[in-house]
Amino acid sequence: MPIIDSKTGKVKKDYTIEELIEKAKEMRAYSMTAITAAGSGHTGGTLSIMDVTAALYLNEINHDPANPDWENRDRVFWSVGHKAPAIYVALGEAGYFSIDEMVKLRKLWSGFEGHPNRFKLTGLEMSSGSLGQGLGVAVGCALNARLEKKDYRTFCILGDGELDEGSIWESVMSAAHYKLDNLIAIVDRNNLQIDGPTEEVMQLESLLSKWQSFGWHTLEIDGNDMREILKSFEKAKTLKGKPIVIIAHTIKGKGVSYAENVVGYHGAPPKDGRKGAESLEKAIQDINAKNFDEKKVDALLQKACTYQEEVDQKVDKAMPRFSRDYWWNKAETMKVKMVPTRKGFGNALEKLGESKSVVALGADITNSICMNQFYENHTERKERFFQMGIAEQNMTSVASGFAKEGKTAFIGSYGVFVTGRNWDQIRTTVCYNNYNVKIANAHAGLSVGQDGATHQALEEISNMYYLPNMHLIVPSDSLETEKGTLAVAKIHGPAVIRYAREATPIVTKEDTPYAFGKANVIRFRGEKEEFVDAFDTKLASDYQSEEEDVCIIACGPMVAEAMRAAYILKKEYNLETRILNIHTVKPLDKESILKAAEEIGLVMTVEEHQKGGFGNIIAGVIAAGKKYNAPLLLDMMGVEDQFGLSGAPWELLKTFELTAEHIAKKTKALSEKK
């Protein structure tokens, strides 16, 4: 059924096969333009699923863009949320909004987030991005249709790499058990995932027989052939008594020559940008869509640029103002180097790999989290690296098996997945057994930027802290990440290393003191050419009070912002600040925290995390241990009980009011109460 008017039942637009083929080209051109404008995004899967997407939204499903909540509409759930550009361009073509708007992809407040957010954009059935969950929602929706005696059908788009997740097969089993013939799953079988070919990462074949053995009707098609796609949809309508899966064999990066079947284009924009051998210009030439010429591309890119300028102005206007600009590397002095914090983890893991008692397990983002450094320059270590695919729960349990036999097992993924999806395995199998499993909690906080809320870990400090036997470090920069990773490898038992993704300021040195379980005191001493030279750092246990005015207690990337805040507070208000760098959150240096509270009487906690996850831990220590022979003012800064957003990491830090400027402003206001 084409797009219809839900009130009259009349067809709004009926596309021929030739028109659908041309629409798929146009949708590819829009998507490549938007991904280029964003400077990030998932090129490969967006292009591979586009023909299915065009057929589904413009020809097959029963829906009305003028009435997006129409109760009799067919539902489409995108379990593969990272293919968001394909969803957005389809909704735009269908008429839910002006298609030109999707060029604002991944930009702050645009609604076109890195992964779909149903509260920000009309036409979306669910917010998604954490793989393995969409099919279960689709099963529930299909069951509801049966319960309410509704005729709507439920579709679910799946990636083939996503089939690594055990939760998918639980949903497959339940759909078959309930004989949901109103449910159609579509697998984008493009044979590539982040770490390489699916059959090398985690073998899936024989995929058809697997679905059949679970009790599904199966159809196998060329997912880039419009005629085969439409025939499969017609065939699916005739199949009864079982759920239906369409395994659509596609080419990753379809339609763009330099991206086709190239694993590197899973999650990357054209590497040459606007022009060049691997550029937007070449992509548009390859796609060859009618009415999509250079003039059209220029207009869309200008639209994206204008929007970004408006965002920049809004973000900048909301920033606290001082007598001068203290932002990173704005002045001739106080220069700082920026290095991705994840590099420190990779450097440490490479060193630790010298021991044959160390093994590492990956979850399909090996290079992104720098776990590849374990074996990249040491081919003999390959036998001690185990690719588990997108299967965090299984990875955790398998690592526990290694640990039981005396190995130190490192596992890792995006923080939100490697400490969230598998929390029960961490709690019961790892921590209860006190197994020697070390968890790389990568891309934590807001640092994953444009990927948005589903990928931003803002809850795991508290989730991990309260687990018995767990150790938790939250290092401030790449050097401290390396030191901390080496330190936790020496202790027995579970440990989490929480580190950021993007480049962050280097605020420590090789000779900066570091002791696992002991806080550092950092003091601003005066402007220097290099930012790091403007501060003294000591172990808190070696520090004697200088009768400071305020204390800022921070961990992770917030340590650098706390240092810059101390600089602002001194220059603007002549306030002296004691910074406590709590690089080890568990075990916690309670003595140093209590000492600061007693000696200063004013404490501000700062975290790139839901407010209170770290702050309440600090507050609890103070409340339980303070002698109360002096008054205390305490406040907290963090993300205010909300999910993240798509946007550049620094944009998000400003938007969530976690920069040094915000810290200085709020700390100054607290000091005035003192």
Side-chain angles (χ1 to χ4, degrees):
M1 173 72 73
I3 301 167
I4 65 170
D5 185 325
S6 57
K7 294 179 180 179
T8 65
K10 293 182 179 179
V11 173
K12 287 186 175 181
K13 174 66 178 176
D14 194 3
Y15 292 91
T16 65
I17 288 179
E18 290 73 21
E19 287 174 330
L20 287 173
I21 292 170
E22 185 57 36
K23 279 297 179 184
K25 289 182 180 181
E26 182 179 303
M27 289 159 67
R28 284 188 169 95
Y30 267 109
S31 293
M32 288 302 293
T33 304
I35 289 170
T36 303
S40 67
H42 292 80
T43 294
T46 294
L47 295 176
S48 68
I49 195 64
M50 198 64 79
D51 300 296
V52 170
T53 306
L56 192 64
Y57 280 87
L58 302 181
N59 182 267
E60 179 61 20
I61 65 170
N62 197 23
H63 67 135
D64 180 3
N67 186 12
D69 296 323
W70 177 39
E71 64 176 0
N72 291 322
R73 73 190 182 281
D74 290 333
R75 274 69 162 169
V76 183
F77 295 96
W78 285 76
S79 196
V80 279
H82 60 276
K83 301 182 185 184
I87 315 171
Y88 301 153
V89 76
L91 293 174
E93 284 283 9
Y96 284 87
F97 43 78
S98 170
I99 191 172
D100 287 1
E101 292 297 303
M102 67 87 56
V103 79
K104 300 172 184 176
L105 176 70
R106 290 179 159 241
K107 296 189 182 299
L108 190 61
W109 303 311
S110 72
F112 299 93
E113 302 209 353
H115 292 79
N117 183 341
R118 74 184 185 95
F119 298 108
K120 299 292 179 67
L121 204 64
T122 186
L124 295 173
E125 295 290 350
M126 70 175 287
S127 304
S128 63
S130 180
L131 295 176
Q133 300 182 27
L135 187 57
V137 179
V139 169
C141 189
L143 281 170
N144 183 71
R146 177 180 293 176
L147 181 67
E148 300 294 334
K149 296 180 172 54
K150 299 290 186 180
D151 292 329
Y152 68 77
R153 296 171 299 161
T154 300
F155 294 81
C156 184
I157 313 296
L158 301 163
D160 49 6
E162 181 182 17
L163 301 186
D164 295 346
E165 291 283 15
S167 56
I168 288 289
W169 298 100
E170 294 176 16
S171 301
V172 169
M173 185 163 54
S174 64
H177 176 79
Y178 287 104
K179 299 180 173 57
L180 295 177
D181 53 13
N182 59 348
L183 172 62
I184 302 98
I186 303 170
V187 178
D188 184 9
R189 185 70 169 116
N190 59 37
N191 297 290
L192 291 176
Q193 53 194 104
I194 299 175
D195 276 359
T198 56
E199 299 312 292
E200 293 179 13
V201 173
M202 185 56 60
Q203 187 175 332
L204 290 173
E205 294 295 352
S206 170
L207 193 55
L208 195 71
S209 62
K210 283 180 180 175
W211 284 86
Q212 289 171 347
S213 70
F214 273 83
W216 285 56
H217 289 300
T218 56
L219 300 173
E220 200 167 15
I221 66 168
D222 179 345
N224 295 133
D225 185 313
M226 189 62 70
R227 287 174 175 80
E228 285 199 33
I229 296 166
L230 295 177
K231 286 179 181 178
S232 72
F233 287 154
E234 288 303 311
K235 179 65 176 177
K237 293 172 185 175
T238 70
L239 299 174
K240 302 300 179 183
K242 297 179 182 180
I244 303 103
V245 62
I246 300 171
I247 299 176
H249 293 277
T250 64
I251 295 172
K252 196 149 191 172
K254 174 67 176 177
V256 177
S257 58
Y258 58 81
E260 288 191 352
N261 286 323
V262 176
V263 70
Y265 272 106
H266 170 89
K271 73 174 187 179
D272 293 329
R274 181 71 173 85
K275 295 182 181 293
E278 297 186 22
S279 66
L280 174 60
E281 182 180 63
K282 181 65 169 67
I284 297 300
Q285 290 173 359
D286 288 347
I287 294 167
N288 193 29
K290 295 178 182 177
N291 304 317
F292 212 98
D293 55 15
E294 288 291 310
K295 185 178 179 181
K296 176 70 171 178
V297 172
D298 288 342
L300 288 171
L301 292 178
Q302 183 57 51
K303 185 180 186 71
C305 183
T306 299
Y307 180 79
Q308 185 60 53
E309 289 172 354
E310 293 170 356
V311 168
D312 292 343
Q313 291 173 6
K314 186 175 179 180
V315 171
D316 183 63
K317 186 177 180 181
M319 286 286 286
R321 300 291 178 184
F322 299 98
S323 63
R324 46 165 287 202
D325 189 349
Y326 291 92
W327 191 253
W328 296 108
N329 292 330
K330 284 287 188 177
E332 293 301 316
T333 59
M334 300 290 279
K335 296 294 185 181
V336 69
K337 295 178 181 177
M338 300 277 185
V339 176
T341 314
R342 53 185 163 156
K343 295 292 185 184
F345 171 76
N347 294 339
L349 193 59
E350 183 174 8
K351 293 176 181 177
L352 291 167
E354 295 174 4
S355 170
K356 292 184 178 180
S357 67
V358 175
V359 298
L361 294 83
D364 197 42
I365 60 165
T366 308
N367 289 14
S368 182
I369 68 173
C370 291
M371 189 168 267
N372 61 306
Q373 289 183 234
F374 176 76
Y375 60 80
E376 197 165 63
N377 298 318
H378 311 275
T379 54
E380 74 283 0
R381 298 182 190 174
K382 251 307 195 179
E383 65 178 11
R384 287 188 279 124
F385 176 78
F386 301 89
Q387 178 58 262
M388 306 308 295
I390 309 169
E392 297 85 358
Q393 292 168 315
N394 184 53
M395 175 176 65
T396 305
S397 298
V398 172
S400 298
F402 274 114
K404 179 192 174 296
E405 298 302 324
K407 297 292 193 295
T408 298
F410 278 83
I411 65 174
S413 183
Y414 282 70
V416 71
F417 306 140
V418 80
T419 63
R421 179 182 291 273
N422 55 338
W423 188 85
D424 185 35
Q425 282 80 3
I426 293 173
R427 174 191 181 272
T428 304
T429 302
V430 176
C431 289
Y432 189 29
N433 287 283
N434 201 29
Y435 283 144
N436 210 19
V437 176
K438 316 300 180 183
I439 304 168
N441 182 88
H443 301 356
L446 299 168
S447 69
V448 76
Q450 292 94 333
D451 278 347
T454 58
H455 285 51
Q456 291 163 0
L458 298 172
E459 301 82 20
E460 80 284 21
I461 289 180
S462 48
N463 287 349
M464 294 295 104
Y465 180 84
Y466 291 107
L467 289 174
N469 293 328
M470 180 58 80
H471 306 85
L472 171 61
I473 64 169
V474 187
S476 62
D477 63 13
S478 63
L479 291 175
E480 199 167 76
T481 302
E482 181 174 348
K483 292 176 182 178
T485 303
L486 294 172
V488 298
K490 295 177 182 178
I491 61 171
H492 181 78
V496 170
I497 306 125
R498 184 185 197 258
Y499 59 93
R501 176 181 184 173
E502 299 302 329
T504 50
I506 297 294
V507 293
T508 66
K509 300 179 180 180
E510 293 289 351
D511 61 356
T512 298
Y514 183 94
F516 178 77
K518 299 295 181 183
N520 281 354
V521 168
I522 304 172
R523 292 282 285 113
F524 174 68
R525 298 305 186 192
E527 284 190 32
K528 300 287 185 181
E529 184 174 344
E530 299 294 327
F531 184 88
V532 69
D533 292 333
F535 298 84
D536 282 342
T537 302
K538 291 184 178 181
L539 292 176
S541 55
D542 296 336
Y543 182 75
Q544 296 298 316
S545 174
E546 297 180 15
E547 299 183 353
E548 299 93 340
D549 300 294
V550 300
C551 176
I552 301 174
I553 302 180
C555 63
M558 290 296 95
V559 171
E561 294 300 321
M563 292 168 71
R564 199 160 59 85
Y567 172 36
I568 296 172
L569 289 167
K570 177 62 177 176
K571 288 294 181 180
E572 297 289 325
Y573 310 113
N574 200 33
L575 291 174
E576 297 287 349
T577 305
R578 182 188 306 184
I579 301 162
L580 274 187
N581 173 10
I582 309 294
H583 51 69
T584 306
V585 176
K586 189 176 183 181
L588 192 61
D589 188 351
K590 297 179 181 180
E591 182 179 348
S592 298
I593 294 167
L594 284 168
K595 184 181 178 187
E598 292 284 351
E599 292 176 348
I600 300 173
L602 189 153
V603 172
M604 179 69 73
T605 69
V606 190
E607 58 195 298
E608 190 194 22
H609 188 269
Q610 296 292 347
K611 189 173 81 172
F614 173 72
N616 283 331
I617 293 169
I618 302 301
V621 169
I622 296 172
K626 193 175 184 298
K627 298 173 184 176
Y628 292 99
N629 57 355
L632 172 71
L633 289 171
L634 185 146
D635 204 351
M636 303 176 192
M637 296 182 68
V639 176
E640 295 277 357
D641 191 27
Q642 58 187 304
F643 287 101
L645 297 166
S646 282
W650 288 113
E651 278 183 343
L652 297 179
L653 213 62
K654 293 176 180 179
T655 300
F656 286 104
E657 299 186 353
L658 293 174
T659 69
E661 288 79 3
H662 294 98
I663 298 169
K665 178 182 177 181
K666 196 162 185 177
T667 303
K668 174 61 168 61
L670 191 63
S671 74
E672 291 173 355
K673 296 179 181 179
K674 184 179 178 182

